[in-house]
Amino acid sequence: MRMRDVSLLVLVIGLLCFMPNGSWAKDVRGVTDTEIKIACLVDLSGPGKYGGPPIADAGRDYVAWVNDTGGINGRKINLIVEDNGILPSTTMIAAKKVIFKDEIFAIAMNLGSAGSSSILPLCEENQVVLMPHGANKKFYDPGNKWVFVPHTVQYSMASRAVEYILEKNSKARMGIIYQDDGFGKEGLEGARAAAKFMGSSLVKAAPYKTGTIDFSPHMNAMREAKVDFILLWTYLPQSASIIKQKVTMGWDVELISNNTTGVPPLFAIIGESADGYMLVTPFAPGWMDLPGINRIKKITKKYGNYEKTLGNPAYPDYLYLAGWAYIEACVQGLRLAGRDLTPDSFVKALESINDFDMGGLCPNITFGPERHVSSFSSLILRANGQKKRFEIIDPIREPKTPQK
Amino acid sequence: MQQLSGNFKVSYKADRALFQNLWVKSWLAIFIVSMILAPFFVSRYQLSILNEIGIVVIGALGLNLLTGYTGQISLCHGAFVGIGAYTAALLASKLGVPFLISLPLSGLMAALLGMVVGIPSLRLKGLYLALGTLAFGFIVEYILFHWDLIQGDMGMAVPKISFGTFTVRTERQFYFLIMTAATIAVIFAKNIARTKIGRCFVAIRDRDIAAEAMGIPLAKYKVMAFAISAFYAGIAGCIMAYYQKWIVPGSFDLSLSIAYIAMIIMGGLGTILGSILGAILITGIPHGIVYFTDVFKESCPAISGLIVDFKLGIFGLIIVLTLLFEPRGLVGIYQRIKVYWKTWPFKY
Amino acid sequence: MEKIIEILFNGLSMGAIYALLALGFVLIFKSTGVLNFAHGELAMFGAFICYTFAMLFNVPYVIAFLIALVLGAILGGVIDTLFFRKMLGEPLFTTIMISVGLASILTSTAGMIWGHDVYSIVSPFTQKTLSVGELVLSQGSMYTIAASIILFILFLIFFNRSLLGISMRGAAEDPDTAGLMGINVKKIHMIAWALGTVVAAVAGMFLAEQSFVRLAMSHIGIKAMAAAILGGMESIGGAIIGGAIIGIVEGFAANYLSGMELGNFYFGDIKDVAAFAIMIIVLMIRPHGIFGKEKVERV
């Protein structure tokens, strides 16, 4: 092959790039006369494996109920649950499959914030509404036309936690142990902002690499700084390890953590030592007698597997309820969009949701043209080691620290 | 490598030729034509898979030049891809550098760091080199994770490719761009392999002390091997960054390096065709798993959970099985089949 | 002052685990010449086996410990037979890649069998502490250090005095000649793998006692490699000392360097990187480690 041939080839290929691009579909992708396809990307196999199945269960139960009670404006929902393995690369594979192969209309839930960030350009390009879990502030600030977050973000929750502590005791010395990635850093920022707002500051901040479970240096550093309260922006294994460390050290420090660690498996791992452990979370515990939760239980009993899910005390109920809130927000938007369902009409419909009543299960959902996050409020729970469950000690409230 | 009889050359030029005989040339022509026509016949989903394969082929070529031809073990190839990707992202988003300039620059940046890794390789052999490259990979991952400029693990955005007023937007346009780059990369790699540089690489792989005794400057060629392989990786990373439009440090860790190694082992160490075949197979496997679990999802949900767990182990299994049963990979299998057909009913 | 002793103690207990892993690693390397990248995964398997028997079948801890050792030995032998026996003459790259592949396979198998959750093993010395003056030392750590020291002495004696140990060293140095001398090289390799896996299982169980049992435990294997490099790949004693040094350095680095900010660059959690930094420095300056001998290569 001579240079001349090679350059000719390159020229031809280059010209072909300029070929006009035909439109792929005249109809709206994912919507037919009788059904709407939506996808739920959760981790069923990888590191976030304990998070995926409850959310998938919630999605399936809710969709079964909707389809059984007339569907949405005459269309049934076809829910596709896809494993995204939580990592960005596998999430990308899953997203490509559901958008290009299954041709879904919207992604009602994607577990994992790094994965959500990585598929955002893809969703933008193909006009797919994305609702990321693992809520981070940047999903709504600056935000994106296609991204909606029906969840309180980490920043707001951290602010709320710090405010709660400082309200009760304005001289409390607070430290924070946070995961050394976007999730943890956002907790750090929220906590710092709230502390500053309340006229105080965080005494010590100790990051840890994702996956670490040896916290002796961090706890030692906290003890040396004479900290009274430690804010834990961690995942479940780390929280359990820290509680273990606290007992080993014989140190009576109070711990308050974020929503991902507030699940019954915590008791399975460390038993009664979890007593007194506090949490900030947008979702009320599943055993409580609230209208929103009772409604969910009724639906699950009829359409799902109640004994295995909400009826099971060892079940991570927080995740089920979170999944429920996501799919409910999504379906509400679909309802309001009416019969003429397109990506743009869906976005407008979502933005018109105002104070949608969740019955005390979590803060009511409000979206708006400038506001793609559902709420800033959360509540504070405390773990009861004997009864092996969490109890509400401070109801749903917004943090006073400015959230923008 | 078994050479069949009947493959005689009558001039030095013919012996040195890039594509040896008419049979290869005609199949190549058919292949090129089908590649050009492909985007008009396959679905968008399949086109996106082909794009991924194209990007990965470039990286695999680089690694094969280093490990297959020069025999240097490198466990940090993923890190070089990451360096290329982040260089491109930084140049494009912070400095507004156009694609045609950021492409070679990200390759050069990766090559520079490749030389940095190459210099210790003069002292370290075998297992120490493997560990050294492993450590380098971890350090690069750590830096990418913690550098505030690139926003750590939340990732950073990459603007679109544009040539003047024309922006590359659809899968089809990306396809032509990627395939052009891949073709040029393949031609360059094949060229390197057949020239003095390639022969020096192979000599170093076979017996480096003897090569030095024969007059090949080890330092120059070992560092060059690392630099070239990193350059290829950087280019692949750059295109990947533009294609995905969002990059996170988490995708450039040890598992990416292992995937690349699986590609060249499975495809065939020390061959250009092997890199391409390996790239196709390894990229296709996760998609294949997704496809299969889709088919089985409704019928038996329990199994689909297990199969999906397999995704993590499948590369390891491929590497192990290939090395145990066919160390020369797909190319080895292909050559065995070719020899069998050509010499049947004789044995050789 | 107490703080330094506490850091030292904690560092030593982690270091003991690293040293155990490095010991198994060097054991396998010395006897078979294979760089076992899957060593961390073997430790994880040991811990999981112990967990299964102790927690799921409600067997007393000590018996579960012993069962894990036995099963670990069998696992090691099986791995050698299946994967490495064919590779006796093959180049280094092939064996390294097989062990890397093996690591993936072990991880995903464990994931399939036990899942990705975090599990706890309840042992007789969980959560119990000993107070010495102002210091609070965990009993588990003390047992770890004590048991490790005993094991090290046993292994040192084994390799230098016993017939089996010496034949292992011989087989490692030159398998062909050893075979000619009447040493059953294949059997030696299998024993080496079994022993190496047993030691890894012990390390895994000690680690589980200090933290939790979960898939990501295997990442510790890489630190074991750093420890082995530091001490010298050819030396058992070196592996032990290397492990101890890395454990202590990590402890001090974590306490004093973590959370530092340097310009635009935020140091974050130094602990993991400390091991790699040490590994790189050693590779740069003295690749064969503190106690290793430089290998003379012939054309």
Side-chain angles (χ1 to χ4, degrees):
Chain A
M1 264 218 176
R2 268 159 258 150
M3 265 327 284
R4 192 191 61 188
D5 300 318
V6 172
S7 40
L8 193 64
L9 198 64
V10 170
L11 189 65
V12 166
I13 294 180
L15 280 173
L16 279 170
C17 285
F18 284 86
M19 278 200 49
N21 192 24
S23 66
W24 288 99
K26 302 275 185 318
D27 316 298
V28 178
R29 182 197 58 244
V31 177
T32 66
D33 269 344
T34 50
E35 79 167 14
I36 310 173
K37 267 195 196 164
I38 51 179
C40 206
L41 303 179
V42 289
D43 191 3
L44 297 171
S45 69
K49 194 170 170 178
Y50 67 91
I55 299 181
D57 289 335
R60 281 197 203 101
D61 293 344
Y62 188 85
V63 164
W65 170 65
V66 165
N67 285 343
D68 204 33
T69 51
I72 299 180
N73 301 319
R75 292 186 175 108
K76 289 209 188 295
I77 303 181
N78 184 353
L79 181 71
I80 298 185
V81 174
E82 190 70 34
D83 181 16
N84 74 350
I86 250 196
L87 300 171
S89 43
T90 45
T91 308
M92 186 63 126
I93 295 180
K96 277 195 181 160
K97 175 190 172 276
V98 292
I99 295 181
F100 290 141
K101 184 160 174 291
D102 296 326
E103 295 196 338
I104 47 98
F105 175 66
I107 299 182
M109 151 80 89
N110 179 58
L111 193 61
S113 38
S116 303
S117 316
S118 69
I119 62 173
L120 187 53
L122 187 69
C123 294
E124 231 182 327
E125 188 70 34
N126 294 287
Q127 299 188 322
V128 173
V129 168
L130 172 67
M131 294 187 170
H133 189 59
N136 283 67
K137 191 158 175 256
K138 68 180 219 333
F139 283 126
Y140 67 87
D141 176 22
N144 191 296
K145 175 180 173 193
W146 301 102
V147 174
F148 286 86
V149 185
H151 193 280
T152 312
V153 295
Q154 304 292 327
Y155 186 92
S156 316
M157 287 196 275
S159 306
R160 175 95 168 84
V162 169
E163 279 177 25
Y164 172 77
I165 305 274
L166 289 175
E167 261 168 26
K168 293 246 180 290
N169 180 358
S170 58
K171 290 215 184 20
R173 293 172 68 82
M174 291 204 68
I176 175 170
I177 296 182
Y178 65 99
Q179 187 155 297
D180 197 11
D181 65 1
F183 154 74
K185 284 197 191 126
E186 187 162 314
L188 177 70
E189 277 171 31
R192 275 204 177 128
K196 196 160 125 182
F197 182 78
M198 304 283 284
S200 174
S201 69
L202 293 177
V203 168
K204 187 103 176 96
Y208 71 88
K209 181 161 150 68
T210 313
T212 311
I213 39 181
D214 178 23
F215 287 93
S216 34
H218 308 80
M219 291 298 275
N220 281 333
M222 291 287 150
R223 182 149 71 167
E224 213 155 288
K226 296 200 187 13
V227 160
D228 307 311
F229 289 87
I230 309 185
L231 184 62
L232 302 179
W233 224 252
T234 65
Y235 287 145
L236 187 61
Q238 284 79 33
S239 283
S241 180
I242 291 177
I243 297 181
K244 233 178 159 189
Q245 185 74 25
K246 166 184 150 178
V247 168
T248 312
M249 287 167 79
W251 185 26
D252 192 21
V253 67
E254 299 248 10
L255 303 172
I256 178 164
S257 174
N258 69 321
N259 55 330
T260 56
T261 64
V263 287
L266 179 71
F267 299 109
I269 301 182
I270 47 172
E272 289 205 8
S273 330
D275 197 46
Y277 179 75
M278 290 187 282
L279 279 188
V280 58
T281 171
F283 293 96
W287 58 268
M288 295 206 66
D289 185 21
L290 294 167
I293 297 185
N294 289 339
R295 170 175 162 252
I296 295 181
K297 284 191 177 153
K298 219 166 59 164
I299 296 180
T300 315
K301 280 190 184 129
K302 184 158 181 222
Y303 294 99
N305 196 340
Y306 182 72
E307 285 72 37
K308 203 170 67 104
T309 60
L310 285 182
N312 178 4
Y315 191 71
D317 51 0
Y318 152 71
L319 290 157
Y320 186 95
L321 298 173
W324 187 275
Y326 268 73
I327 192 109
E328 180 129 58
C330 178
V331 166
Q332 182 62 10
L334 288 172
R335 270 200 201 100
L336 290 176
R339 187 73 195 168
D340 177 25
L341 188 59
T342 66
D344 284 307
S345 74
F346 185 43
V347 167
K348 281 209 185 44
L350 280 171
E351 285 171 353
S352 72
I353 298 181
N354 197 350
D355 206 22
F356 181 70
D357 185 19
M358 296 302 286
L361 152 75
C362 69
N364 292 344
I365 298 182
T366 303
F367 286 124
E370 298 300 308
R371 176 171 155 161
H372 279 204
V373 63
S374 68
S375 88
F376 301 110
S377 322
S378 38
L379 33 76
I380 311 273
L381 305 177
R382 174 181 242 117
N384 186 329
Q386 285 78 31
K387 296 205 188 127
K388 293 210 179 353
R389 62 184 193 188
F390 294 95
E391 287 156 356
I392 300 183
I393 52 176
D394 208 51
I396 295 181
R397 261 201 312 167
E398 251 191 48
K400 299 201 197 74
T401 319
Q403 292 295 310
K404 272 280 175 179
Chain B
M1 193 147 98
Q2 285 165 297
Q3 282 286 15
L4 304 166
S5 59
N7 200 12
F8 301 124
K9 303 286 182 304
V10 291
S11 71
Y12 278 123
K13 183 147 177 262
D15 196 35
R16 275 185 292 134
L18 210 48
F19 302 105
Q20 293 263 324
N21 43 31
L22 189 60
W23 189 81
V24 172
K25 285 192 194 143
S26 39
W27 273 109
L28 201 65
I30 296 178
F31 180 65
I32 292 182
V33 167
S34 53
M35 291 271 285
I36 297 181
L37 292 178
F40 306 103
F41 291 108
V42 299
S43 77
R44 204 147 64 133
Y45 178 58
Q46 291 160 331
L47 207 58
S48 74
I49 300 183
L50 285 176
N51 280 339
E52 269 180 48
I53 293 179
I55 296 176
V56 156
V57 158
I58 302 178
L61 282 170
L63 187 62
N64 216 344
L65 281 174
L66 180 65
T67 307
Y69 282 92
T70 322
Q72 306 294 310
I73 307 179
S74 166
L75 289 166
C76 58
H77 206 66
F80 288 129
V81 176
I83 291 173
Y86 270 99
T87 313
L90 279 171
L91 287 176
S93 60
K94 305 275 185 215
L95 296 176
V97 173
F99 172 68
L100 279 177
I101 300 185
S102 67
L103 182 67
L105 278 182
S106 40
L108 281 171
M109 184 73 199
L112 224 73
L113 281 152
M115 286 203 274
V116 167
V117 177
I119 294 175
S121 80
L122 302 171
R123 282 189 59 161
L124 301 171
K125 299 224 172 77
L127 68 95
Y128 296 115
L129 184 63
L131 287 168
T133 53
L134 184 71
F136 177 75
F138 275 116
I139 298 228
V140 168
E141 188 193 338
Y142 183 81
I143 295 179
L144 288 179
F145 227 72
H146 284 102
W147 198 6
D148 276 333
L149 189 65
I150 51 180
Q151 294 169 240
D153 80 312
M154 285 309 289
M156 77 183 280
V158 183
K160 300 200 175 66
I161 305 180
S162 53
F163 304 105
T165 48
F166 171 73
T167 44
V168 178
R169 202 176 293 120
T170 67
E171 292 286 337
R172 191 189 285 172
Q173 291 162 341
F174 260 114
Y175 176 82
F176 287 115
L177 184 73
I178 293 176
M179 288 308 160
T180 319
T183 316
I184 299 178
V186 167
I187 295 179
F188 265 118
K190 229 170 151 49
N191 215 21
I192 290 178
R194 73 174 177 161
T195 59
K196 168 181 163 194
I197 298 180
R199 291 194 291 270
C200 288
F201 284 168
V202 173
I204 295 178
R205 173 189 74 198
D206 289 338
R207 245 341 185 192
D208 53 354
I209 301 183
E212 189 160 26
M214 283 204 303
I216 298 176
L218 277 190
K220 173 171 163 196
Y221 284 102
K222 275 191 181 177
V223 172
M224 191 190 293
F226 268 100
I228 293 181
S229 128
F231 184 80
Y232 269 83
I235 301 272
C238 167
I239 301 184
M240 184 196 277
Y242 278 104
Y243 179 63
Q244 286 183 350
K245 301 194 201 72
W246 187 280
I247 47 178
V248 283
S251 23
F252 302 113
D253 60 355
L254 183 62
S255 54
L256 185 65
S257 308
I258 294 184
Y260 272 113
I261 293 183
M263 279 179 228
I264 60 171
I265 290 185
M266 176 102 218
L269 284 169
T271 65
I272 300 293
L273 181 64
S275 324
I276 302 178
L277 290 177
I280 295 178
L281 207 80
I282 299 289
T283 320
I285 284 180
H287 287 280
I289 293 181
V290 164
Y291 182 78
F292 273 114
T293 50
D294 214 26
V295 170
F296 286 116
K297 219 179 356 193
E298 313 302 321
S299 40
C300 31
I303 294 194
S304 71
L306 283 185
I307 294 181
V308 154
D309 214 336
F310 212 50
K311 266 191 221 166
L312 296 172
I314 192 87
F315 289 155
L317 197 68
I318 290 178
I319 292 179
V320 170
L321 288 177
T322 317
L323 284 175
L324 282 178
F325 295 113
E326 180 57 81
R328 282 184 297 149
L330 286 174
V331 168
I333 296 179
Y334 165 66
Q335 276 167 351
R336 264 206 249 255
I337 296 180
K338 194 164 84 168
V339 166
Y340 180 78
W341 277 115
K342 280 217 164 180
T343 59
W344 190 82
F346 302 111
K347 272 243 161 159
Y348 52 85
Chain C
M1 187 57 204
E2 284 86 27
K3 183 170 173 209
I4 296 191
I5 298 185
E6 221 176 294
I7 299 179
L8 210 70
F9 183 74
N10 282 327
L12 266 178
S13 89
M14 272 315 273
I17 297 181
Y18 293 149
L20 276 173
L21 281 170
L23 176 67
F25 189 71
V26 169
L27 200 72
I28 294 180
F29 180 71
K30 261 174 91 80
S31 313
T32 64
V34 172
L35 245 193
N36 184 14
F37 270 84
H39 210 66
E41 277 76 10
L42 292 174
M44 173 191 63
F45 247 86
F48 265 112
I49 295 177
C50 179
Y51 164 77
T52 315
F53 282 100
M55 303 304 284
L56 295 181
F57 296 158
N58 278 318
V59 171
Y61 182 74
V62 182
I63 301 192
F65 194 88
L66 292 171
I67 295 181
L69 293 184
V70 169
L71 286 178
I74 298 178
L75 179 67
V78 164
I79 288 180
D80 176 50
T81 320
L82 279 182
F83 296 106
F84 290 101
R85 189 161 283 203
K86 268 195 96 178
M87 293 290 127
L88 266 181
E90 298 281 339
L92 181 68
F93 176 66
T94 319
T95 50
I96 290 183
M97 285 327 298
I98 288 196
S99 73
V100 169
L102 185 64
S104 287
I105 297 178
L106 283 174
T107 311
S108 64
T109 316
M112 279 195 267
I113 302 179
W114 287 289
H116 287 249
D117 291 330
V118 177
Y119 305 102
S120 244
I121 302 186
V122 176
S123 74
F125 28 80
T126 309
Q127 312 271 32
K128 293 222 196 71
T129 59
L130 189 70
S131 297
V132 177
E134 277 207 12
L135 296 173
V136 179
L137 308 171
S138 120
Q139 276 198 1
S141 305
M142 290 194 330
Y143 277 114
T144 307
I145 298 180
S148 313
I149 296 180
I150 298 176
L151 274 170
F152 299 146
I153 299 177
L154 278 175
F155 270 109
L156 276 170
I157 300 178
F158 173 71
F159 264 106
N160 288 323
R161 295 300 161 87
S162 82
L163 190 59
L164 189 58
I166 298 184
S167 39
M168 276 179 145
R169 282 162 60 196
E173 218 174 286
D174 194 344
D176 295 324
T177 316
L180 286 172
M181 291 244 168
I183 297 176
N184 187 346
V185 175
K186 285 191 184 164
K187 195 172 94 163
I188 298 276
H189 282 189
M190 201 152 70
I191 295 179
W193 270 95
L195 270 179
T197 314
V198 164
V199 175
V202 170
M205 286 186 278
F206 282 151
L207 182 63
E209 199 281 323
Q210 284 196 15
S211 55
F212 300 103
V213 181
R214 53 190 196 136
L215 282 182
M217 276 173 100
S218 53
H219 293 167
I220 217 172
I222 310 215
K223 295 207 191 150
M225 275 188 254
I229 295 264
L230 177 60
M233 293 290 290
E234 306 282 325
S235 151
I236 301 267
I240 300 166
I241 297 185
I245 294 180
I246 291 203
I248 296 177
V249 168
E250 254 191 18
F252 277 106
N255 257 293
Y256 291 111
L257 288 181
S258 250
M260 253 173 38
E261 287 204 38
L262 198 72
N264 215 2
F265 192 74
Y266 183 66
F267 263 103
D269 197 9
I270 280 254
K271 254 180 89 171
D272 280 345
V273 190
F276 295 126
I278 293 181
M279 189 152 94
I280 291 193
I281 295 175
V282 170
L283 284 172
M284 291 279 172
I285 304 177
R286 202 187 146 95
H288 35 276
I290 303 180
F291 291 103
K293 285 188 272 288
E294 193 158 351
K295 230 188 178 142
V296 175
E297 217 181 300
R298 296 217 150 90
V299 179

